[in-house]
Amino acid sequence: MEQAHLEAIAAQVRRDVIRMVYQAQSGHPGGALGATDILVALYFAHMHHTPSSFSPTGLGEDVFILSNGHICAAWYAVLARRGYFPLQELSSFRRINSRLQGHPATKEGLPGVRVATGSLGQGLSVGIGIALGKRLQRDPHLVYVMIGDGELNEGQIWEAALFAAHHRVDNLIVIVDRNYKQIDGDTRAVLDTDPLEEKWRAFGWEVFSLREAHSFPAILSTLEQARSHARKGKPLIVIAYTIMGKGVDFMENDYRWHGKPPSDLEYERAIAQLPATLKDF
Amino acid sequence: MRPVYTDMGAKDTRSGFGAALLELGEKDERIVALSADLMSSVKMEAFAKRFPERFFQCGVAEANMIGVAAGLATTGFIPFVGTFANFATGRVYDQIRQSICYSGKNVKIAASHAGLTLGEDGATHQMLEDIGLMRGLPGMTILSPCDYHQTRLATLAAAEWEGPVYLRFGRPPVPTFTPPEDPSFQIGKLQVLLEGRDGVIFATGHLVWHALQASYALEAQGLSIAVVNVHTLKPIDEEGVVEWLERSPVIVTAEEHQMYNGLGDIISFISTKFCPRFIERVAVRDTFGESGKPEELLQKYGLTAAHIISAVERALEHQL
């Protein structure tokens, strides 16, 4: 897919995110905006998957898990725009009787979601389990797991890091949404995880650095590079240096946009920066 | 004539689990097993040896083990995770809650060394709150078999059962008194071991044997006390429990668990709803355990046949 088209989709997804969070008057806009470009790249250009016939087992296709489930507004928008479920359903985000739960869930049967996430640190382990399942069933497809960088505080992430390297889970690509922000502030102030790339290397992972995490050519070439290292005995991780709140100037790099909706005035300012490139939901 | 249950030889319930796991591995390729550095204690060694491709050593990292199991279940496998009861529940409660139960994953949690009777390791390892923790989780099934043979059957049944299962068993050798093949064992159904007109003891796990001994002793005193094995704590056989509550003059529960949130509460919950009754509980009384031999611990913490007899007597007095 052409870069211009991917950019148009990403712009619309950002607009979707702001509209969803504003309409629900709750949600997590900052991380969602920051991860939008990577999610669009994965779903519209990189992964092998079948939106029209979603299979809960994920066999015979690539699988994606959003371990940092709170940024699901962007994931839902990408899934809807990719055809996993009707676009109009985005208006039910975080409302009663909705499949679009505040954090991703399987109970309501939303196509695209294979495990509930939200309580942090768990999605990576589940992704590893799916990768092992694929290996046992000789399924050549890959598992992608996005994790947040605040999420790296969780001990379970490092249990999973040890396990994946030890068991040579090499059909797995982890993407860290490295925006250096978490709820209470800068990650370096709250609980420092630097030097991050060295940590993962020391744990036995093949590390790829994505410095331009909002450039489609850079995202796609890094993902492709990672994929070319699959099935070589090591788990793979892309450290994506994203900008929290990307696309809305007053949200960019401001940790206070982790989990609050915009006011009326802020909404007007935000949406003015995000013109519709596709049809609104 | 009431049936007489005799001890066909002391065996640990965990070995019943291990035997069944191996059988399951032979007949069903979907069975996989995960251990958190307790492979031999939880009797998973034979499976691991026979099916190395389907066994995953996770190290002392239980949270990750639960998640990996959830992932394997996603792709159609039936994972059994094995560790000690406290590491299988309290330590990983949130992982079980979100990655297994809320996500509807078909994972079987095999929890060994439950209760006081793991013995000398002491209170850090004597899990007495696990039934309560697991009971609160929507979609969780809880099995608490009473001896070696029943633990084997419960393991086989758990594999057939769709959805998350918490399978609770123990460490020490205990009397084997149920048959190797037992059609009367069915998930979700009470198992009536002894009929009785004068009262009923609802028991689970290791205490079923003690309840039988209590009933035989009371018989010598002219009392006919039923023993009902509640091997499935969730979903509870509500209809069956109500029937026994209605027809039994005295009611006692017996479990190797805290008196809160376990079998006593499960029976009381049904009682308050359908048939309000006085119920005596034999359970650990809101305290931690300590090091000691299994029989010493049961004695000190009030979980022997003699304690069950006393509970029946108290219930009788209350009735008068």
Side-chain angles (χ1 to χ4, degrees), chain A residues 208-266:
Chain A
F208 303 87
S209 179
L210 174 55
R211 289 278 159 192
E212 293 172 78
H214 300 288
S215 145
F216 280 102
I219 296 169
L220 290 171
S221 71
T222 306
L223 287 174
E224 197 46 58
Q225 200 195 345
R227 180 157 60 191
S228 72
H229 283 73
R231 279 174 293 277
K232 289 183 179 172
K234 275 183 164 190
L236 311 168
I237 188 164
V238 174
I239 313 290
Y241 294 90
T242 58
I243 296 168
M244 183 180 185
K246 174 74 179 173
V248 175
D249 57 7
F250 62 89
M251 291 185 179
E252 286 188 7
N253 278 318
D254 185 346
Y255 70 87
R256 290 171 303 179
W257 287 102
H258 165 83
K260 69 165 180 174
S263 66
D264 291 350
L265 203 65
E266 289 162 340

Side-chain angles (χ1 to χ4, degrees), chain A residues 121-142:
Chain A
Q122 300 188 30
L124 175 52
S125 302
V126 179
I128 291 169
I130 294 174
L132 290 174
K134 283 183 176 295
R135 190 158 86 184
L136 282 171
Q137 307 214 24
R138 314 271 181 265
D139 175 352
H141 291 87
L142 301 182

Side-chain angles (χ1 to χ4, degrees), chain A residues 56-57 59 101 105-107 114-119 122 125-126 128-130 132-133 136-138 156 159-160 163 167, chain B residues 32 53-54 56-58 61-65 67-68 70-72 74-77 94-95 98-99 102-105:
Chain A
T57 66
L59 290 171
Q101 289 294 297
T106 56
K107 193 163 79 71
R114 293 186 173 92
V115 65
T117 52
S119 176
Q122 300 188 30
S125 302
V126 179
I128 291 169
I130 294 174
L132 290 174
L136 282 171
Q137 307 214 24
R138 314 271 181 265
Q156 188 179 346
E159 291 184 7
F163 180 94
H167 288 276
Chain B
V32 294
E53 258 216 339
R54 286 192 270 145
F56 301 97
Q57 174 59 267
C58 298
E62 295 84 2
N64 178 61
M65 175 169 72
V68 171
L72 283 159
T74 302
T75 60
F77 288 96
D94 190 40
Q95 284 75 16
Q98 175 174 288
S99 294
Y102 185 40
S103 297
K105 301 300 181 195

Side-chain angles (χ1 to χ4, degrees), chain B residues 131-184:
Chain B
I131 293 171
L133 285 170
M134 294 298 101
R135 182 184 170 216
L137 292 170
M140 182 61 91
T141 292
I142 305 173
L143 303 181
S144 167
C146 62
D147 70 355
Y148 171 91
H149 286 145
Q150 192 160 84
T151 305
R152 176 181 156 270
L153 292 177
T155 306
L156 298 176
E160 299 274 322
W161 185 261
E162 189 58 39
V165 173
Y166 179 66
L167 178 61
R168 183 188 211 243
F169 47 90
R171 171 180 171 264
V174 292
T176 306
F177 56 96
T178 66
E181 301 301 331
D182 186 358
S184 75

Side-chain angles (χ1 to χ4, degrees), chain B residues 91-215:
Chain B
R91 190 176 186 92
V92 291
Y93 184 75
D94 190 40
Q95 284 75 16
I96 296 174
R97 180 176 180 271
Q98 175 174 288
S99 294
I100 295 181
C101 288
Y102 185 40
S103 297
K105 301 300 181 195
N106 190 23
V107 174
K108 317 302 172 185
I109 299 164
S112 185
H113 294 53
L116 288 173
T117 52
L118 84 94
E120 293 81 352
D121 277 349
T124 53
H125 288 51
Q126 287 161 344
M127 189 51 166
L128 295 166
E129 306 89 47
D130 52 332
I131 293 171
L133 285 170
M134 294 298 101
R135 182 184 170 216
L137 292 170
M140 182 61 91
T141 292
I142 305 173
L143 303 181
S144 167
C146 62
D147 70 355
Y148 171 91
H149 286 145
Q150 192 160 84
T151 305
R152 176 181 156 270
L153 292 177
T155 306
L156 298 176
E160 299 274 322
W161 185 261
E162 189 58 39
V165 173
Y166 179 66
L167 178 61
R168 183 188 211 243
F169 47 90
R171 171 180 171 264
V174 292
T176 306
F177 56 96
T178 66
E181 301 301 331
D182 186 358
S184 75
F185 173 84
Q186 276 179 52
I187 291 182
K189 288 279 170 216
L190 295 180
Q191 187 179 36
V192 180
L193 295 177
L194 290 177
E195 293 280 350
R197 291 180 312 274
D198 302 323
V200 62
I201 304 162
F202 292 104
T204 192
H206 288 157
L207 287 208
V208 173
W209 172 256
H210 297 267
L212 289 170
Q213 304 319 302
S215 176

Side-chain angles (χ1 to χ4, degrees), chain B residues 38-59:
Chain B
L38 285 169
M39 180 169 74
S40 64
S41 293
V42 186
K43 303 294 177 189
M44 301 171 97
E45 251 170 347
F47 181 96
K49 217 173 198 176
R50 178 82 181 78
F51 308 106
E53 258 216 339
R54 286 192 270 145
F55 175 78
F56 301 97
Q57 174 59 267
C58 298

